[in-house]
Amino acid sequence: MGKTTHVRRLAECRDGLQVLGAVHEHDPEPWARVAAGDYARWWFETSTTAQLTRMLLASHAKRADAREPDRTGLLDRGFPMLLAVSAATCAVKDGLSVGEALDTVAGLAGTANVPAEVSILLLPSRDPDRSYAITSAREGRAWTGIYPSYQMTLHAVLRHQADHDVYTAVVECEDRSPNDVHAEVLRHVGAHLPVPPPRNWST
């Protein structure tokens, strides 16, 4: 079960939550423009780190603005994950270390006015090879070109963030059932978000 499925299940079992979707859904024009040609080439080759980071954060801000009053927004990729994605891309393209790439992206983000978030990281495994194997198997297709290196780097970025307490909680998923993982996600949500208790579906 991936991030989007967990978000959907949360919305189904609790009142007051709003699924806000992906960043590009709230700012489609620039993403459609860069995707008009070879999207992967733009992402990993022709875009600059500044361009990618600023597009992600601008779309993230528009997504936050779409939240309805008195509702709590649910994001499958929040602010820390967007920084991780940009940093991993930066590290692969520019040959930087994880720390250098994160510093670069953080500098670009600056003091962006980001709404308060409770961020829960779903980590396939602490081991990079196992994490890669689990994630690639879930995709159901072989990864080629720069993408394998990007995925391994992304895992390293996420581990670095987790080790520095960037996320509110880190949920390790390896060798656990989807329901067990979701139960832990629910516990973290219940501890941190001002939402009512789950609906009692038996009544």
Side-chain angles (χ1 to χ4, degrees):
M1 186 189 304
K3 295 182 288 295
T4 303
T5 304
H6 282 289
V7 165
R8 189 186 70 248
R9 286 186 62 180
L10 280 171
E12 289 171 349
C13 73
R14 288 175 179 261
D15 293 315
L17 301 179
Q18 178 185 356
V19 178
L20 290 174
V23 288
H24 68 270
E25 295 171 355
H26 298 272
D27 195 18
E29 193 277 328
W31 294 102
R33 186 172 62 248
V34 300
D38 186 334
Y39 185 66
R41 183 172 181 272
W42 173 83
W43 187 285
F44 290 110
E45 296 180 31
T46 62
S47 68
T48 65
T49 298
Q51 182 186 23
L52 175 60
T53 303
R54 287 168 181 153
M55 278 184 65
L56 287 169
L57 296 185
S59 298
H60 179 60
K62 290 186 177 182
R63 179 174 59 175
D65 289 342
R67 183 181 62 83
E68 298 173 3
D70 301 321
R71 300 187 73 188
T72 299
L74 293 177
L75 314 175
D76 61 356
R77 291 169 179 82
F79 183 72
M81 179 61 76
L82 295 181
L83 293 186
V85 165
S86 188
T89 307
C90 172
V92 169
K93 285 196 306 185
D94 300 336
L96 301 181
S97 69
V98 165
E100 290 169 337
L102 279 166
D103 286 344
T104 298
V105 171
L108 291 167
T111 56
N113 185 20
V114 180
E117 294 183 12
V118 171
S119 52
I120 300 174
L121 174 63
L122 301 181
L123 198 62
S125 173
R126 288 276 178 175
D127 178 80
D129 294 327
R130 287 291 303 141
S131 182
Y132 179 90
I134 293 167
T135 307
S136 60
R138 187 183 299 142
E139 289 284 317
R141 59 182 175 84
W143 287 338
T144 59
I146 199 173
Y147 205 64
S149 177
Y150 163 76
Q151 281 291 335
M152 290 293 287
T153 305
L154 178 59
H155 174 84
V157 170
L158 296 175
R159 280 287 309 273
H160 186 282
Q161 288 181 318
D163 291 344
H164 288 78
D165 299 321
V166 169
Y167 295 91
T168 307
V170 177
V171 177
E172 296 184 44
C173 305
E174 188 174 18
D175 298 326
R176 300 174 65 187
S177 71
N179 285 340
D180 182 39
V181 171
H182 191 69
E184 183 174 350
V185 171
L186 277 173
R187 286 195 296 273
H188 290 301
V189 168
H192 293 283
L193 291 183
V195 294
R199 302 186 191 112
N200 185 350
W201 292 106
S202 63
T203 59

